[in-house]
Amino acid sequence: PVASIPTPFSADGDIHWDGVANIIEVALKGGSGVMLLTAGDSQYLFMTEAEIAALTRFTVERTAGRALVVAATGPWATRQAVAFAGSCRELGADVVMSLPPAQMTAGPGLVAHYQALAAVMPVMLVGCPSHAVLDGLVGEPAICCFKEDGTEAYAVELLQKYGRRWKVMTGGGLYRHLVEWPFGARAFMDWSTSFAPQVGAAYWRALGEGDLSEAARITTEIERPLFDLAGQLDPACGWQVLWRAALSLKGVASHHLRLPQSTATPAQIERVKAALEKLGLA
């Protein structure tokens, strides 16, 4: 289980640092061995580069060597991404994940982008780069892992062709990881680590025991209702709204998001509370 860190904000829009600290501690106590910063969950699209750097420093210092730390760039040009990677290395991050500008997936420039980053520190690939790009990167020893973020068909083909070269982590829900498990995906971005880590832990334990039926039950009876509710709460950023509401209800972090995203209303928080109680996660 990989802990994806959902940056929380205070009512006035500042980063809720106590909340970030709590998210890290809950994830560590729950058994996650990786603290992952991402452009998506960590809200980079709504933050300045200075804030991203501060969040990276805070995460490294708070984790204090108790887990791997994956830093991340925004969707930046190569020069900016490489400079930021140098800062991440100096801070003590273990790996840097770089989201290509405009989420590029093809072209020799993308190969050069990742090669430049790999000259600075270990790199996690992300997204759904073309196989031509991946073929140009398989010889780079500092490129060590991959957060797949394309279609499920892309992910399976990635694992079939490159799974012996790179450690692959699935993005999205537990169900997505279950689809990719037979093809060798052995790490998953786990939404539960910050407020209900027992869910991801039970799922992981079921896989380790070869109990695929139990793993599937967890995705169906616990994860699916939450994902369905998220879509009902807000069509644009429903999962982020639900996630922050759950963090608040569990006393972990603030429920606020930055504009132009929507923050959970009191009525929405009550709906999330009822769902968590029904699922035994309150």
Side-chain angles (χ1 to χ4, degrees), residues 133-153:
V133 168
L134 298 181
D135 289 341
L137 296 173
V138 290
E140 292 292 333
I143 298 178
C144 55
C145 46
F146 199 127
K147 176 182 176 289
E148 61 82 9
D149 233 355
T151 65
E152 291 174 8

Side-chain angles (χ1 to χ4, degrees), residues 7-13 244 253-258 262-264:
T7 304
F9 300 97
S10 62
D12 59 8
R244 298 320 188 285
S254 166
H255 70 281
H256 294 280
L257 288 163
R258 274 183 175 171
S262 301
T263 289

